[in-house]
Amino acid sequence: MARQKTIITCAVTGAIHTPTMSDALPYTYDDIAAQAVEAAEAGASILHLHARNPETGAPSVDPGDFAPFLPRIKQATDAVVNISTGGSLTLSIQDRIKPAATFSAEMCSMNMGSMNFSFHPLARRYESWKFDWEKDYVAGSDAFIFRNTFRDIEEAATTLAPHDIKFEHECYDVGHLYNLKFCMDIGLFKAPVFLQFVMGILGGIGADVENLIFMKKTADKLFGDRYRWSILAAGAAQMPMATTASQMGGNVRVGLEDSLFISRGQLAESNAQQVAKIRRIIEDLGSEVATPDEAREILALKGGDRVNF
Ligand code: KMH
Ligand code: ZN
């Protein structure tokens, strides 16, 4: 059987890292748009997008903070837009799904379980901060519960169902695969599903090859051949785990949401630099990367002409 092409997703800014941590982290409308377009040009066929307050860089789920950059990305690229419903991690599911519902994107994230979700150890690395909110946000994440109860998942799934959005099911641990299976059994999601194995978040499964194999085997057991998968590994594990996953037939996600680095100890200059690196690795190892239209076909997406931006 011909090997399927590898889909590269780029997660452009996220809600974990803060402006102090890297000058490359985009948070203005212009910079989010420019880096997203550049990442698509470098080979990302899916752009996973969060918004930020353009003055302070704080994570935002206000649709008004997505509106200035979404049309610009659509005009400049053919890439699939995937809108986060993870949010800002402490907000209600009702607020978190507003951007995806408002803009009816081709894809959005769907977080498959409640968990500790912490990056408080990062706070120790910085003595001064660019913006007032950053230190408390980062240091205080040891008290965050990222809430995604079954009721929250059901609310997100039923609210977004009329929009025909393909979900990127974020599974931060093996139990989240079972949560997804349960949700499929009660009719909330239909196969084939698209899984994102999220590895290396403090609160979730660690980023190593044994765990990846365990996640993959569990997905095989639960979903048979009726799923596609991708990996994102946080921090230093990003490129090594993406490389391994691509060799196992998985798709990959990179971007400054997940890691600020291009190699050990060296900050990335941009999202596109990470996309170019993983693309080079994938191609050097003999695989091909999917174009946006190939990604649409592989994931059976509704099409870029059916979004609301
Ligand atoms: N920040 C990632 C670990 C979301 O946006 O819904 C997971 C994520 C969640 O991308
Ligand atoms: Zn995200």
Side-chain angles (χ1 to χ4, degrees):
M1 197 173 78
R3 192 161 161 176
Q4 200 150 46
K5 294 188 180 179
T6 308
I7 299 169
I8 302 176
T9 296
C10 181
V12 174
T13 187
I16 298 175
H17 296 124
T18 71
T20 294
M21 299 176 184
S22 169
D23 290 338
L25 185 74
Y27 59 88
T28 64
Y29 304 142
D30 282 354
D31 203 11
I32 291 173
Q35 288 214 38
V37 170
E38 218 196 322
E41 287 166 356
S45 48
I46 301 176
L47 299 166
H48 170 83
L49 298 169
H50 292 237
R52 292 191 182 244
N53 177 307
E55 309 295 329
T56 66
S60 167
V61 292
D62 180 349
D65 284 328
F66 284 83
F69 61 75
L70 289 177
R72 290 167 59 182
I73 293 169
K74 183 176 162 179
Q75 278 153 25
T77 81
D78 188 29
V80 174
V81 166
N82 169 325
I83 292 183
S84 172
T85 65
S88 184
L89 300 165
T90 50
L91 294 178
S92 71
I93 194 69
Q94 290 80 5
D95 286 334
R96 285 164 34 196
I97 60 181
K98 268 186 204 146
T102 304
F103 299 107
S104 195
E106 283 184 88
M107 296 184 74
C108 72
S109 57
M110 180 67 67
N111 292 277
M112 293 313 300
S114 301
M115 59 190 287
N116 291 342
F117 191 123
S118 195
F119 36 95
H120 66 280
L122 293 178
R124 289 199 291 270
R125 295 192 196 167
Y126 307 94
E127 273 169 15
S128 59
W129 299 80
K130 277 187 196 156
F131 298 103
D132 289 349
W133 64 273
E134 294 180 67
K135 185 175 180 193
D136 287 350
Y137 179 72
V138 177
S141 65
D142 60 349
F144 281 4
I145 295 174
F146 186 28
R147 187 189 141 137
N148 299 287
T149 61
F150 284 112
R151 192 177 295 179
D152 291 340
I153 293 169
E154 179 165 358
E155 169 141 11
T158 51
T159 307
L160 296 172
H163 294 277
D164 195 12
I165 302 175
K166 180 80 179 183
F167 300 115
E168 170 196 349
H169 293 279
E170 315 273 354
C171 297
Y172 299 79
D173 218 323
V174 178
H176 294 180
L177 298 170
Y178 285 86
N179 292 353
L180 174 58
K181 175 74 166 77
F182 170 78
C183 291
M184 291 170 75
D185 288 345
I186 61 168
L188 285 183
F189 305 114
K190 280 201 280 303
V193 283
F194 182 50
L195 311 182
Q196 187 70 259
F197 297 155
V198 183
M199 310 192 80
I201 297 292
L202 183 55
I205 199 166
D208 66 45
V209 176
E210 277 188 353
N211 286 344
L212 172 56
I213 291 169
F214 185 37
M215 293 286 276
K216 168 84 171 51
K217 278 191 164 167
T218 307
D220 288 343
K221 183 166 69 185
L222 295 175
F223 311 116
D225 60 2
R226 308 203 64 208
Y227 78 100
R228 301 260 172 248
W229 65 282
S230 172
I231 191 169
L232 85 81
Q238 181 186 61
M239 291 291 166
M241 293 303 290
T243 303
T244 305
S246 73
Q247 287 298 290
M248 290 167 59
N251 302 288
V252 302
R253 175 171 131 173
V254 294
L256 300 182
E257 171 165 349
D258 304 331
S259 168
L260 294 172
F261 293 87
I262 190 68
S263 56
R264 194 160 280 282
Q266 195 186 342
L267 287 171
E269 285 162 15
S270 66
N271 280 277
Q273 192 188 20
Q274 291 183 343
V275 173
K277 178 169 176 169
I278 195 64
R279 179 187 188 156
R280 199 162 56 238
I281 292 169
I282 289 167
E283 291 179 344
D284 279 354
L285 294 175
S287 301
E288 286 178 86
V289 301
T291 64
D293 280 342
E294 288 166 342
R296 287 187 173 93
E297 200 182 320
I298 294 166
L299 298 175
L301 305 185
K302 64 179 175 178
D305 54 339
R306 291 184 52 211
V307 299
N308 189 23
F309 57 86

